[in-house]
Amino acid sequence: MPKKNGFEALSFIKSDMHLKLIPCLLLSTSRSNDDIQKAYALGANSFLCKPFDFNSMVKLFQSINTFWIESADLPQIR
């Protein structure tokens, strides 16, 4: 991501009273426990490791869609 990394973007979103209710999922190539801890400490709703192959990436995004778009009840953002 140009100019900001995922942690900086997450911190910005979760510190803004108008944006903080937006669910934030961090997708990373890292499986570092420190990165996972940091993401959740900053308010991430999920931490996902990016798969390396296309079909696995498609399955991951289908899972995200099923849960966050089709299943989860989210607050309305004003």
Side-chain angles (χ1 to χ4, degrees):
M1 211 165 42
K3 301 195 182 192
K4 284 189 190 232
N5 66 36
F7 295 120
E8 292 168 333
L10 177 61
S11 181
F12 174 81
I13 291 167
K14 294 300 183 176
S15 68
D16 183 292
M17 70 181 271
H18 299 299
L19 303 177
K20 68 181 177 181
L21 293 179
I22 296 171
C24 292
L25 289 67
L26 242 67
L27 274 70
S28 177
T29 56
S30 172
R31 288 195 181 274
S32 162
N33 189 55
D34 289 343
D35 289 342
I36 296 168
Q37 293 283 339
K38 183 175 182 178
Y40 283 107
L42 291 171
N45 298 92
S46 185
F47 187 97
L48 305 161
C49 191
K50 293 179 192 175
F52 291 104
D53 66 277
F54 179 76
N55 289 333
S56 295
M57 184 68 84
V58 169
K59 287 180 184 176
L60 176 62
F61 284 118
Q62 288 171 335
S63 296
I64 291 169
N65 179 67
T66 299
F67 181 78
W68 289 104
I69 305 301
E70 296 175 10
S71 300
D73 290 323
L74 301 172
Q76 291 185 359
I77 306 298
R78 297 175 195 218

Coordinates of all heavy atoms in Angstrom, one line a residue:
M1 N 0.9 -1.2 0.0 CA 0.0 0.0 0.0 C 0.9 1.2 0.0 O 1.8 1.3 0.9 CB -0.9 0.0 1.3 CG -2.2 0.6 1.1 SD -3.4 0.2 2.4 CE -2.5 0.3 3.9
P2 N 0.7 2.1 -0.9 CA 1.6 3.3 -1.0 C 1.3 4.3 0.2 O 0.2 4.4 0.6 CB 1.2 4.0 -2.3 CG 0.0 3.3 -2.8 CD -0.2 2.1 -2.0
K3 N 2.3 4.8 0.7 CA 2.3 5.9 1.8 C 1.9 5.4 3.2 O 2.4 6.0 4.1 CB 1.5 7.0 1.4 CG 1.9 7.7 0.1 CD 1.4 9.0 -0.2 CE 1.9 9.5 -1.5 NZ 1.6 10.9 -1.8
K4 N 1.1 4.4 3.3 CA 0.7 3.9 4.7 C 0.8 2.3 4.6 O 0.4 1.7 3.6 CB -0.7 4.3 5.0 CG -0.9 5.7 5.5 CD -2.2 5.9 6.0 CE -2.4 7.4 6.2 NZ -2.9 7.7 7.5
N5 N 1.3 1.8 5.7 CA 1.2 0.3 5.8 C -0.2 -0.1 6.4 O -1.0 0.8 6.8 CB 2.4 -0.3 6.6 CG 2.4 0.1 8.0 OD1 1.4 0.2 8.7 ND2 3.6 0.3 8.6
G6 N -0.5 -1.3 6.5 CA -1.8 -1.8 7.0 C -2.0 -1.4 8.4 O -3.2 -1.0 8.8
F7 N -1.0 -1.4 9.2 CA -1.2 -1.0 10.6 C -1.5 0.5 10.8 O -2.3 0.9 11.6 CB 0.1 -1.3 11.5 CG 0.4 -2.8 11.6 CD1 1.6 -3.3 11.1 CD2 -0.5 -3.7 12.2 CE1 1.9 -4.7 11.2 CE2 -0.3 -5.0 12.3 CZ 0.9 -5.5 11.8
E8 N -0.8 1.3 9.9 CA -1.1 2.7 10.0 C -2.5 3.0 9.5 O -3.2 3.8 10.1 CB -0.1 3.5 9.1 CG 1.3 3.4 9.7 CD 2.4 3.9 8.7 OE1 2.2 3.8 7.4 OE2 3.4 4.4 9.1
A9 N -3.0 2.3 8.4 CA -4.3 2.5 7.9 C -5.3 2.1 9.0 O -6.3 2.7 9.2 CB -4.5 1.7 6.6
L10 N -5.1 0.9 9.6 CA -6.0 0.4 10.6 C -6.1 1.4 11.8 O -7.2 1.7 12.3 CB -5.5 -1.0 11.1 CG -6.3 -1.6 12.2 CD1 -7.7 -1.9 11.8 CD2 -5.6 -2.9 12.6
S11 N -5.0 1.9 12.2 CA -4.9 2.8 13.3 C -5.7 4.1 13.0 O -6.5 4.6 13.8 CB -3.5 3.2 13.7 OG -3.4 4.1 14.7
F12 N -5.6 4.6 11.8 CA -6.3 5.8 11.3 C -7.8 5.5 11.3 O -8.6 6.3 11.9 CB -5.9 6.2 9.9 CG -6.7 7.3 9.3 CD1 -6.4 8.6 9.7 CD2 -7.7 7.0 8.5 CE1 -7.2 9.6 9.2 CE2 -8.5 8.0 7.9 CZ -8.2 9.4 8.3
I13 N -8.2 4.4 10.8 CA -9.7 4.0 10.7 C -10.3 3.9 12.1 O -11.3 4.4 12.4 CB -9.9 2.8 9.8 CG1 -9.5 3.0 8.4 CG2 -11.3 2.2 10.0 CD1 -9.4 1.8 7.5
K14 N -9.6 3.2 12.9 CA -10.2 2.9 14.2 C -10.1 4.1 15.2 O -10.8 4.1 16.2 CB -9.5 1.6 14.9 CG -9.8 0.4 14.1 CD -11.3 0.1 14.1 CE -11.6 -1.2 13.4 NZ -13.0 -1.6 13.4
S15 N -9.3 5.1 14.9 CA -9.3 6.3 15.7 C -10.2 7.4 15.3 O -10.4 8.3 16.0 CB -7.8 6.8 15.8 OG -7.5 7.3 14.5
D16 N -10.9 7.2 14.1 CA -11.8 8.2 13.6 C -13.3 7.8 14.0 O -13.7 6.7 13.7 CB -11.7 8.2 12.1 CG -12.6 9.3 11.5 OD1 -13.9 9.1 11.6 OD2 -12.1 10.3 11.0
M17 N -13.9 8.6 14.8 CA -15.3 8.3 15.3 C -16.3 7.9 14.2 O -17.2 7.2 14.4 CB -15.8 9.4 16.2 CG -16.2 10.6 15.6 SD -16.8 11.9 16.8 CE -18.5 11.5 16.8
H18 N -16.1 8.5 13.0 CA -17.0 8.2 11.9 C -16.7 6.9 11.2 O -17.6 6.3 10.5 CB -17.0 9.3 10.9 CG -17.5 10.6 11.5 ND1 -18.7 10.8 12.1 CD2 -16.8 11.8 11.6 CE1 -18.8 12.0 12.5 NE2 -17.7 12.7 12.3
L19 N -15.5 6.4 11.3 CA -15.0 5.2 10.6 C -14.9 4.0 11.5 O -14.8 2.9 10.9 CB -13.7 5.5 9.9 CG -13.7 6.7 8.9 CD1 -12.3 6.8 8.4 CD2 -14.7 6.4 7.8
K20 N -14.7 4.1 12.8 CA -14.3 3.0 13.6 C -15.2 1.8 13.7 O -14.8 0.7 14.0 CB -14.0 3.5 15.0 CG -15.2 4.0 15.8 CD -14.8 4.5 17.2 CE -15.9 5.0 18.0 NZ -15.5 5.5 19.3
L21 N -16.5 2.0 13.3 CA -17.4 0.8 13.2 C -17.2 0.0 12.0 O -17.7 -1.1 11.9 CB -18.8 1.3 13.4 CG -19.2 1.9 14.7 CD1 -20.7 2.4 14.7 CD2 -18.9 1.0 15.8
I22 N -16.5 0.5 11.0 CA -16.2 -0.3 9.8 C -15.4 -1.5 10.2 O -14.3 -1.4 10.7 CB -15.5 0.5 8.7 CG1 -16.4 1.7 8.3 CG2 -15.1 -0.3 7.5 CD1 -15.7 2.7 7.4
P23 N -15.8 -2.7 9.8 CA -15.0 -3.9 10.1 C -13.7 -3.9 9.3 O -13.7 -3.5 8.1 CB -15.9 -5.1 9.6 CG -17.3 -4.6 9.5 CD -17.1 -3.1 9.3
C24 N -12.6 -4.2 9.9 CA -11.3 -4.1 9.3 C -10.7 -5.5 9.3 O -10.5 -6.1 10.4 CB -10.4 -3.1 9.9 SG -10.9 -1.4 9.7
L25 N -10.4 -6.0 8.2 CA -9.7 -7.3 8.1 C -8.3 -7.0 7.5 O -8.2 -6.4 6.5 CB -10.4 -8.2 7.1 CG -11.8 -8.8 7.5 CD1 -12.8 -7.7 7.6 CD2 -12.2 -9.9 6.6
L26 N -7.3 -7.5 8.2 CA -5.9 -7.3 7.7 C -5.5 -8.6 7.0 O -5.6 -9.7 7.5 CB -5.0 -7.2 8.9 CG -4.3 -5.8 9.0 CD1 -5.2 -4.7 9.2 CD2 -3.2 -5.9 10.0
L27 N -5.1 -8.4 5.7 CA -4.5 -9.5 4.9 C -3.1 -9.2 4.8 O -2.6 -8.2 4.5 CB -5.1 -9.4 3.5 CG -6.5 -10.2 3.3 CD1 -7.6 -9.5 4.0 CD2 -6.8 -10.4 1.9
S28 N -2.3 -10.3 5.2 CA -0.8 -10.1 5.3 C -0.2 -11.4 4.8 O -0.7 -12.5 4.8 CB -0.5 -9.8 6.7 OG 0.9 -9.7 6.9
T29 N 1.1 -11.2 4.4 CA 1.9 -12.4 4.1 C 2.6 -12.9 5.4 O 3.1 -14.0 5.4 CB 3.0 -12.1 3.1 OG1 3.8 -11.0 3.6 CG2 2.4 -11.7 1.7
S30 N 2.5 -12.2 6.5 CA 3.1 -12.5 7.7 C 2.2 -13.5 8.6 O 1.0 -13.3 8.6 CB 3.3 -11.2 8.6 OG 3.7 -11.5 9.9
R31 N 2.9 -14.4 9.2 CA 2.2 -15.2 10.2 C 2.8 -15.0 11.6 O 2.6 -15.7 12.5 CB 2.3 -16.7 9.8 CG 1.5 -17.1 8.7 CD 1.4 -18.6 8.6 NE 0.6 -19.0 7.5 CZ -0.7 -19.2 7.5 NH1 -1.4 -18.9 8.5 NH2 -1.3 -19.6 6.4
S32 N 3.5 -13.8 11.7 CA 4.2 -13.5 13.0 C 3.1 -13.2 14.1 O 2.2 -12.4 13.9 CB 5.0 -12.2 12.7 OG 5.3 -11.6 14.0
N33 N 3.3 -13.8 15.2 CA 2.4 -13.6 16.3 C 2.5 -12.1 16.8 O 1.4 -11.6 17.2 CB 2.8 -14.5 17.5 CG 1.8 -14.4 18.6 OD1 0.6 -14.7 18.4 ND2 2.2 -14.1 19.8
D34 N 3.6 -11.5 16.6 CA 3.7 -10.0 17.0 C 2.8 -9.2 16.1 O 2.1 -8.3 16.5 CB 5.1 -9.5 16.9 CG 6.0 -10.1 18.0 OD1 5.5 -10.6 19.0 OD2 7.3 -10.0 17.8
D35 N 2.8 -9.5 14.8 CA 1.9 -8.8 13.8 C 0.4 -9.1 14.1 O -0.4 -8.2 14.1 CB 2.2 -9.2 12.4 CG 3.6 -8.7 11.9 OD1 4.1 -7.7 12.5 OD2 4.1 -9.2 10.9
I36 N 0.1 -10.3 14.4 CA -1.3 -10.7 14.7 C -1.7 -10.0 16.0 O -2.8 -9.3 16.0 CB -1.4 -12.2 14.9 CG1 -1.1 -12.9 13.5 CG2 -2.8 -12.6 15.4 CD1 -1.0 -14.4 13.6
Q37 N -0.9 -10.0 17.1 CA -1.2 -9.3 18.3 C -1.4 -7.8 18.1 O -2.3 -7.2 18.6 CB -0.1 -9.5 19.3 CG 0.0 -10.9 19.8 CD -1.0 -11.3 20.9 OE1 -1.6 -10.4 21.5 NE2 -1.3 -12.5 21.0
K38 N -0.5 -7.2 17.3 CA -0.6 -5.7 17.0 C -1.9 -5.4 16.2 O -2.5 -4.4 16.6 CB 0.7 -5.3 16.2 CG 0.7 -3.8 15.9 CD 2.0 -3.5 15.2 CE 2.1 -2.0 14.9 NZ 3.4 -1.6 14.3
A39 N -2.2 -6.2 15.3 CA -3.4 -6.0 14.5 C -4.7 -6.0 15.4 O -5.5 -5.0 15.3 CB -3.6 -7.0 13.4
Y40 N -4.8 -6.9 16.2 CA -5.9 -7.0 17.1 C -5.9 -5.9 18.2 O -7.0 -5.3 18.5 CB -6.1 -8.4 17.8 CG -6.7 -9.4 16.8 CD1 -5.9 -10.4 16.2 CD2 -8.0 -9.4 16.4 CE1 -6.4 -11.3 15.3 CE2 -8.6 -10.3 15.5 CZ -7.7 -11.2 15.0 OH -8.3 -12.2 14.1
A41 N -4.7 -5.5 18.6 CA -4.6 -4.4 19.6 C -5.0 -3.1 19.0 O -5.6 -2.2 19.7 CB -3.2 -4.3 20.1
L42 N -4.8 -3.0 17.7 CA -5.2 -1.7 17.0 C -6.7 -1.8 16.6 O -7.2 -0.8 16.0 CB -4.4 -1.5 15.8 CG -2.9 -1.1 16.0 CD1 -2.1 -1.2 14.7 CD2 -2.8 0.2 16.7
G43 N -7.4 -2.9 16.8 CA -8.8 -2.9 16.5 C -9.2 -3.8 15.3 O -10.4 -3.7 14.9
A44 N -8.3 -4.6 14.8 CA -8.7 -5.4 13.6 C -9.8 -6.4 14.0 O -9.9 -6.8 15.1 CB -7.5 -6.2 13.1
N45 N -10.7 -6.6 13.1 CA -11.7 -7.6 13.3 C -11.3 -9.0 12.9 O -12.0 -10.0 13.3 CB -13.0 -7.2 12.6 CG -13.5 -5.9 13.1 OD1 -13.2 -4.8 12.6 ND2 -14.3 -5.9 14.2
S46 N -10.3 -9.1 12.1 CA -9.8 -10.4 11.6 C -8.4 -10.2 11.0 O -8.1 -9.1 10.5 CB -10.7 -11.0 10.6 OG -10.3 -12.2 10.2
F47 N -7.5 -11.2 11.2 CA -6.2 -11.2 10.6 C -6.1 -12.4 9.7 O -6.3 -13.5 10.2 CB -5.1 -11.2 11.7 CG -3.7 -11.0 11.2 CD1 -3.1 -9.8 11.2 CD2 -3.0 -12.1 10.7 CE1 -1.8 -9.6 10.8 CE2 -1.7 -12.0 10.2 CZ -1.1 -10.7 10.3
L48 N -5.9 -12.2 8.5 CA -5.8 -13.4 7.5 C -4.5 -13.4 6.8 O -4.0 -12.3 6.3 CB -7.0 -13.2 6.5 CG -8.4 -13.1 7.1 CD1 -9.3 -12.5 6.1 CD2 -8.8 -14.4 7.6
C49 N -3.9 -14.6 6.6 CA -2.7 -14.7 5.9 C -3.1 -14.9 4.4 O -3.9 -15.8 4.1 CB -1.9 -15.9 6.4 SG -0.2 -15.9 5.7
K50 N -2.4 -14.1 3.5 CA -2.7 -14.2 2.1 C -2.2 -15.5 1.6 O -1.0 -15.9 1.8 CB -2.0 -13.1 1.4 CG -2.5 -11.7 1.6 CD -1.6 -10.7 0.8 CE -1.8 -9.3 1.2 NZ -1.0 -8.4 0.5
P51 N -3.0 -16.3 0.8 CA -2.5 -17.5 0.2 C -1.6 -17.1 -1.0 O -1.7 -16.0 -1.5 CB -3.8 -18.2 -0.3 CG -4.9 -17.3 0.0 CD -4.4 -16.1 0.7
F52 N -0.8 -18.0 -1.4 CA 0.1 -17.8 -2.5 C -0.4 -18.1 -3.9 O 0.1 -17.6 -4.9 CB 1.5 -18.5 -2.3 CG 2.2 -17.9 -1.1 CD1 2.3 -18.6 0.1 CD2 2.9 -16.7 -1.2 CE1 3.0 -18.0 1.2 CE2 3.6 -16.1 -0.2 CZ 3.6 -16.8 1.0
D53 N -1.4 -19.0 -3.9 CA -2.0 -19.3 -5.2 C -3.3 -18.7 -5.5 O -4.1 -18.4 -4.5 CB -2.0 -20.9 -5.4 CG -3.0 -21.5 -4.5 OD1 -2.6 -21.8 -3.3 OD2 -4.1 -21.8 -4.9
F54 N -3.7 -18.5 -6.7 CA -4.9 -17.8 -7.1 C -6.2 -18.5 -6.6 O -7.1 -17.9 -6.1 CB -4.9 -17.7 -8.6 CG -6.2 -17.0 -9.1 CD1 -6.3 -15.6 -9.0 CD2 -7.2 -17.7 -9.7 CE1 -7.4 -15.0 -9.5 CE2 -8.4 -17.1 -10.1 CZ -8.5 -15.7 -10.0
N55 N -6.3 -19.8 -6.8 CA -7.5 -20.5 -6.3 C -7.7 -20.4 -4.8 O -8.9 -20.2 -4.4 CB -7.4 -22.0 -6.7 CG -7.6 -22.2 -8.2 OD1 -8.2 -21.3 -8.9 ND2 -7.0 -23.2 -8.8
S56 N -6.7 -20.5 -4.0 CA -6.8 -20.3 -2.6 C -7.2 -18.9 -2.3 O -8.0 -18.6 -1.3 CB -5.5 -20.6 -1.9 OG -5.2 -22.0 -2.1
M57 N -6.7 -17.9 -3.0 CA -7.1 -16.5 -2.8 C -8.6 -16.3 -3.1 O -9.3 -15.6 -2.4 CB -6.3 -15.6 -3.7 CG -6.5 -14.1 -3.4 SD -6.0 -13.5 -1.8 CE -4.3 -13.2 -2.1
V58 N -9.1 -16.9 -4.2 CA -10.5 -16.8 -4.5 C -11.3 -17.4 -3.4 O -12.3 -16.8 -3.0 CB -10.8 -17.5 -5.9 CG1 -12.3 -17.7 -6.1 CG2 -10.1 -16.7 -7.0
K59 N -10.9 -18.6 -2.9 CA -11.7 -19.2 -1.8 C -11.7 -18.3 -0.5 O -12.7 -18.2 0.1 CB -11.1 -20.6 -1.5 CG -11.4 -21.6 -2.5 CD -10.7 -23.0 -2.1 CE -11.0 -24.0 -3.2 NZ -10.3 -25.3 -3.0
L60 N -10.5 -17.7 -0.3 CA -10.5 -16.8 0.9 C -11.5 -15.7 0.7 O -12.2 -15.4 1.6 CB -9.1 -16.3 1.1 CG -8.9 -15.2 2.2 CD1 -9.2 -15.8 3.6 CD2 -7.5 -14.7 2.2
F61 N -11.5 -15.0 -0.5 CA -12.4 -13.9 -0.7 C -13.9 -14.4 -0.7 O -14.8 -13.6 -0.2 CB -12.1 -13.1 -1.9 CG -10.9 -12.3 -1.7 CD1 -9.7 -12.4 -2.5 CD2 -10.9 -11.2 -0.8 CE1 -8.6 -11.6 -2.3 CE2 -9.8 -10.4 -0.6 CZ -8.7 -10.6 -1.4
Q62 N -14.1 -15.6 -1.1 CA -15.5 -16.1 -1.1 C -15.9 -16.3 0.4 O -17.1 -16.0 0.8 CB -15.6 -17.5 -1.8 CG -15.6 -17.3 -3.3 CD -15.5 -18.6 -4.1 OE1 -15.0 -19.6 -3.5 NE2 -15.9 -18.6 -5.3
S63 N -15.0 -16.8 1.2 CA -15.3 -16.9 2.7 C -15.5 -15.6 3.3 O -16.5 -15.5 4.2 CB -14.1 -17.6 3.4 OG -13.9 -18.9 2.9
I64 N -14.7 -14.6 3.0 CA -14.9 -13.3 3.5 C -16.3 -12.7 3.1 O -17.0 -12.2 3.9 CB -13.8 -12.3 3.0 CG1 -12.5 -12.7 3.7 CG2 -14.1 -10.8 3.3 CD1 -11.2 -12.0 3.1
N65 N -16.6 -12.9 1.9 CA -17.9 -12.4 1.4 C -19.1 -13.1 2.1 O -20.0 -12.5 2.5 CB -18.0 -12.7 -0.1 CG -19.4 -12.2 -0.7 OD1 -19.7 -11.1 -0.7 ND2 -20.2 -13.2 -1.1
T66 N -19.0 -14.5 2.2 CA -20.0 -15.2 2.9 C -20.2 -14.7 4.3 O -21.4 -14.5 4.7 CB -19.7 -16.7 2.9 OG1 -19.6 -17.2 1.6 CG2 -20.8 -17.5 3.6
F67 N -19.2 -14.5 5.1 CA -19.3 -14.1 6.4 C -19.7 -12.6 6.6 O -20.7 -12.2 7.1 CB -18.1 -14.4 7.3 CG -18.3 -13.9 8.7 CD1 -19.0 -14.7 9.6 CD2 -17.8 -12.7 9.2 CE1 -19.3 -14.3 10.9 CE2 -18.0 -12.3 10.5 CZ -18.7 -13.1 11.3
W68 N -18.8 -11.7 6.0 CA -19.0 -10.3 6.3 C -20.1 -9.6 5.5 O -20.7 -8.6 5.9 CB -17.7 -9.6 6.0 CG -16.7 -9.9 7.1 CD1 -15.6 -10.7 7.0 CD2 -16.7 -9.4 8.4 NE1 -15.0 -10.8 8.2 CE2 -15.6 -10.0 9.1 CE3 -17.5 -8.5 9.1 CZ2 -15.3 -9.7 10.4 CZ3 -17.2 -8.3 10.5 CH2 -16.1 -8.8 11.1
I69 N -20.4 -10.1 4.3 CA -21.4 -9.5 3.4 C -22.8 -10.2 3.5 O -23.8 -9.6 3.7 CB -21.0 -9.5 1.9 CG1 -19.6 -8.8 1.8 CG2 -22.0 -8.8 1.1 CD1 -19.5 -7.4 2.3
E70 N -22.7 -11.5 3.5 CA -24.0 -12.3 3.5 C -24.5 -12.6 4.9 O -25.7 -12.7 5.1 CB -23.8 -13.5 2.7 CG -23.6 -13.3 1.2 CD -23.3 -14.5 0.4 OE1 -23.5 -15.6 0.9 OE2 -22.8 -14.4 -0.7
S71 N -23.7 -12.8 5.9 CA -24.1 -13.4 7.2 C -24.1 -12.4 8.3 O -25.0 -12.3 9.1 CB -23.2 -14.5 7.6 OG -23.3 -15.6 6.6
A72 N -23.1 -11.6 8.4 CA -22.9 -10.7 9.6 C -23.9 -9.5 9.5 O -24.2 -9.0 8.5 CB -21.5 -10.1 9.6
D73 N -24.4 -9.2 10.7 CA -25.2 -8.0 10.8 C -24.3 -6.9 11.3 O -23.7 -7.0 12.4 CB -26.4 -8.2 11.9 CG -27.4 -9.1 11.3 OD1 -27.7 -9.1 10.1 OD2 -27.9 -9.9 12.1
L74 N -24.2 -5.9 10.5 CA -23.2 -4.8 10.8 C -24.0 -3.5 11.1 O -25.1 -3.3 10.6 CB -22.3 -4.5 9.6 CG -21.5 -5.8 9.2 CD1 -20.7 -5.5 7.9 CD2 -20.5 -6.1 10.3
P75 N -23.4 -2.6 12.0 CA -24.1 -1.4 12.3 C -24.1 -0.5 11.1 O -23.2 -0.5 10.2 CB -23.2 -0.8 13.4 CG -21.9 -1.4 13.2 CD -22.1 -2.8 12.6
Q76 N -25.1 0.4 11.0 CA -25.1 1.4 9.9 C -24.2 2.5 10.2 O -24.1 3.0 11.3 CB -26.5 1.9 9.8 CG -27.5 0.9 9.2 CD -28.9 1.6 9.0 OE1 -29.1 2.7 9.2 NE2 -29.8 0.8 8.5
I77 N -23.4 2.8 9.2 CA -22.4 3.9 9.3 C -23.1 5.2 8.9 O -23.7 5.3 7.8 CB -21.2 3.7 8.5 CG1 -20.6 2.3 8.8 CG2 -20.2 4.8 8.6 CD1 -20.1 2.1 10.2
R78 N -23.0 6.2 9.7 CA -23.7 7.5 9.4 C -22.7 8.5 8.8 O -21.7 8.6 9.1 CB -24.4 8.1 10.6 CG -25.5 7.2 11.1 CD -26.0 7.7 12.4 NE -26.8 6.6 12.9 CZ -27.9 6.7 13.5 NH1 -28.4 7.9 13.7 NH2 -28.6 5.7 14.0

